[in-house]
Amino acid sequence: MTQPTPITPDAEQLAIDEAFMQQALLLAQAAADAGEVPVGALVVLDDKIIGRGMNAPIGRHDPTAHAEIQAMREAAAAIGNYRLVGCTLYVTLEPCAMCSGAIQHARIARLVYGARDPKTGSCGSVIDLMAEARLNHHTEVAGGILAEECGSMLSRFFSARRASKKALSKNSNIPE
């Protein structure tokens, strides 16, 4: 497992990052309320939110409907360009390989994520696509912003899901 090279924001940037991550957490909660894995994302340009997204692959029957993709689609439409140069993407969970590829293709300048993803994270947890020297664009990465809050939301969601599944199998005599 590779470890990301941490970018530590200064106190002023950290306050900004935490404020935007709080907004992403609200989107993650909306995803959870819809029965989706609770991940929320924002695209910010010049301190203004230009794109919002929350996980929706289940409801949309779309494997690409991750929060990051949704936020980048909305941002690209808002500025009329598929290149999101100068933008920062905030997401509550470390992006997967699909989303990291899209982030790089969109030319996102900076990625800020909350919780690490030890199963599919591609910004250092499993692999580090953002640090791959052979790729033509490199996004600055700051991870661990409000990590506890982001991780707790995911843990609660999956714990409730497991409990519900267990209760359902006990009530229906279906083996676990």
Side-chain angles (χ1 to χ4, degrees):
M1 176 166 80
T2 60
Q3 296 298 317
T5 305
I7 304 291
T8 307
D10 61 28
E12 183 180 348
Q13 186 62 59
L14 183 59
I16 293 167
D17 289 348
E18 287 178 350
F20 282 121
M21 191 61 73
Q22 288 289 349
Q23 295 294 308
L25 277 163
L26 294 174
L27 291 165
Q29 184 59 57
D33 293 345
E36 302 279 354
V37 175
V39 180
L42 305 170
V43 176
V44 174
L45 179 62
D46 298 327
D47 296 323
K48 181 182 175 204
I49 298 171
I50 62 168
R52 291 175 176 81
M54 61 184 209
N55 260 10
I58 297 167
R60 292 189 180 180
H61 310 290
D62 179 357
T64 69
H66 288 198
E68 301 94 310
I69 303 294
Q70 302 298 328
M72 287 188 290
R73 284 177 178 155
E74 188 173 290
I79 65 170
N81 194 335
Y82 74 106
R83 299 283 197 214
L84 299 172
V85 177
C87 292
T88 298
L89 174 69
Y90 291 88
V91 61
T92 58
L93 182 64
E94 178 182 2
C96 68
M98 174 185 69
C99 292
S100 289
I103 289 164
Q104 289 171 323
H105 284 289
R107 303 298 193 262
I108 294 282
R110 186 165 178 262
L111 165 67
V112 179
Y113 71 85
R116 293 181 61 137
D117 186 344
K119 294 185 178 180
T120 65
S122 68
C123 299
S125 290
V126 177
I127 58 173
D128 193 350
L129 290 177
M130 299 302 180
E132 177 54 56
R134 295 173 291 180
L135 295 175
N136 66 333
H137 176 74
H138 297 93
T139 298
E140 178 185 317
V141 178
I145 305 299
L146 299 184
E148 188 173 324
E149 293 90 332
C150 295
S152 292
M153 184 177 289
L154 286 157
S155 294
R156 285 191 308 271
F157 175 82
F158 285 113
S159 178
R161 202 169 178 176
R162 284 188 298 274
S164 175
K165 194 174 190 178
K166 194 176 226 181
L168 182 62
S169 68
K170 283 183 180 179
N171 291 336
S172 63
N173 295 321
I174 297 172
E176 289 181 49

